[in-house]
Amino acid sequence: RFDAVDLNFETAEGGFEKKGEKTKALVSGANSKPMPQGGKSIEKKIIKDGTITLRSQKVELSKIWIDSLLKKHGGYYQSENLDNNDQRISYDLSVRVPSQHFEALLNDLQQGKEECMGKSISARDVTEEFVDIESRLATKREYLQQYRLLLSRAASIKDILALEENIRVLQEEIDSQEGRLNYLRDQVNY
């Protein structure tokens, strides 16, 4: 999974302070650890987000350096915003990296020439939601299979139409829950 990192860079030039890059990096990681539950192990699903603010003397060089760190850690920019005016140059970067690289990326960012002005990290455990959705999906798939079996045996048009409507509604619910599950997987993995 990936977690978010917010990077802020500031640079001083010409006797006045120019605020530089502000980078928000979304980094998620599958910080998944088995969690025992009723005889079977459940893999924890954790979504991490982080923000880091850096001050730089050379914002442009700092941006190139961050580009190289993202490449090194298999990440990418989710969004990139540049604000360049008379008072400051700043970047607001939102990046996503594989969860297993989250801590390493933050460590690399703090070890650079840029001054770390602030950092915050948060984690959300979505294991319960993940398990709940998977369980509901399994049940709905079983019902869907039973409805399709009944449909193959239906004799009247009225029964066929009623079963087809039940199948349609159930399929929509399955599609919706699969979409949510895929979203959670993405957030856990990046």
Side-chain angles (χ1 to χ4, degrees), residues 106-181:
L106 285 176
N107 187 52
D108 285 352
L109 289 166
Q110 289 178 286
Q111 300 304 316
K113 294 179 184 177
E114 290 71 12
E115 180 183 357
C116 183
M117 303 299 292
K119 175 178 118 174
S120 71
I121 298 172
S122 65
R124 293 178 286 141
D125 186 342
V126 293
T127 308
E128 183 178 353
E129 181 180 3
F130 203 88
V131 170
D132 182 56
I133 291 172
E134 285 181 327
S135 174
R136 289 174 189 257
L137 274 171
T139 301
K140 288 182 184 208
R141 287 183 183 124
E142 287 176 20
Y143 277 112
L144 185 60
Q145 186 177 7
Q146 291 175 10
Y147 277 134
R148 287 183 175 150
L149 181 62
L150 289 172
L151 181 61
S152 69
R153 297 178 183 163
S156 72
I157 297 294
K158 180 181 177 182
D159 290 343
I160 291 172
L161 292 174
L163 287 167
E164 284 180 344
E165 178 61 18
N166 287 338
I167 289 171
R168 182 192 64 77
V169 169
L170 198 52
Q171 187 63 57
E172 286 176 359
E173 291 172 3
I174 289 171
D175 291 346
S176 175
Q177 289 184 332
E178 284 177 341
R180 177 66 182 161
L181 200 57

Side-chain angles (χ1 to χ4, degrees), residues 14-171:
F16 63 92
E17 189 171 340
K18 264 185 144 180
K19 285 194 175 180
E21 295 190 79
K22 179 181 180 184
T23 307
K24 183 174 185 180
L26 177 62
V27 183
S28 299
N31 287 343
S32 322
K33 296 182 176 129
M35 180 176 84
Q37 178 170 338
K40 62 180 181 178
S41 182
I42 295 176
E43 192 174 308
K44 300 267 298 170
K45 306 293 184 187
I46 307 295
I47 298 172
K48 282 189 180 179
D49 297 308
T51 301
I52 188 165
T53 303
L54 302 175
R55 179 181 295 173
S56 171
Q57 294 297 318
K58 302 281 185 190
V59 175
E60 297 80 10
L61 293 178
S62 296
K63 173 63 170 64
I64 293 168
W65 172 66
I66 292 171
D67 292 345
S68 70
L69 287 179
L70 280 181
K71 186 175 182 180
K72 171 185 173 184
H73 292 290
Y76 64 91
Y77 288 108
Q78 181 171 311
S79 68
E80 180 177 342
N81 297 300
L82 169 66
D83 182 16
N84 187 354
N85 58 48
D86 292 339
Q87 287 83 36
R88 69 181 188 169
I89 300 171
S90 67
Y91 274 96
D92 183 3
L93 305 172
S94 179
V95 304
R96 298 193 77 204
V97 300
S99 60
Q100 64 270 26
H101 292 268
F102 179 68
E103 285 83 9
L105 174 62
L106 285 176
N107 187 52
D108 285 352
L109 289 166
Q110 289 178 286
Q111 300 304 316
K113 294 179 184 177
E114 290 71 12
E115 180 183 357
C116 183
M117 303 299 292
K119 175 178 118 174
S120 71
I121 298 172
S122 65
R124 293 178 286 141
D125 186 342
V126 293
T127 308
E128 183 178 353
E129 181 180 3
F130 203 88
V131 170
D132 182 56
I133 291 172
E134 285 181 327
S135 174
R136 289 174 189 257
L137 274 171
T139 301
K140 288 182 184 208
R141 287 183 183 124
E142 287 176 20
Y143 277 112
L144 185 60
Q145 186 177 7
Q146 291 175 10
Y147 277 134
R148 287 183 175 150
L149 181 62
L150 289 172
L151 181 61
S152 69
R153 297 178 183 163
S156 72
I157 297 294
K158 180 181 177 182
D159 290 343
I160 291 172
L161 292 174
L163 287 167
E164 284 180 344
E165 178 61 18
N166 287 338
I167 289 171
R168 182 192 64 77
V169 169
L170 198 52
Q171 187 63 57

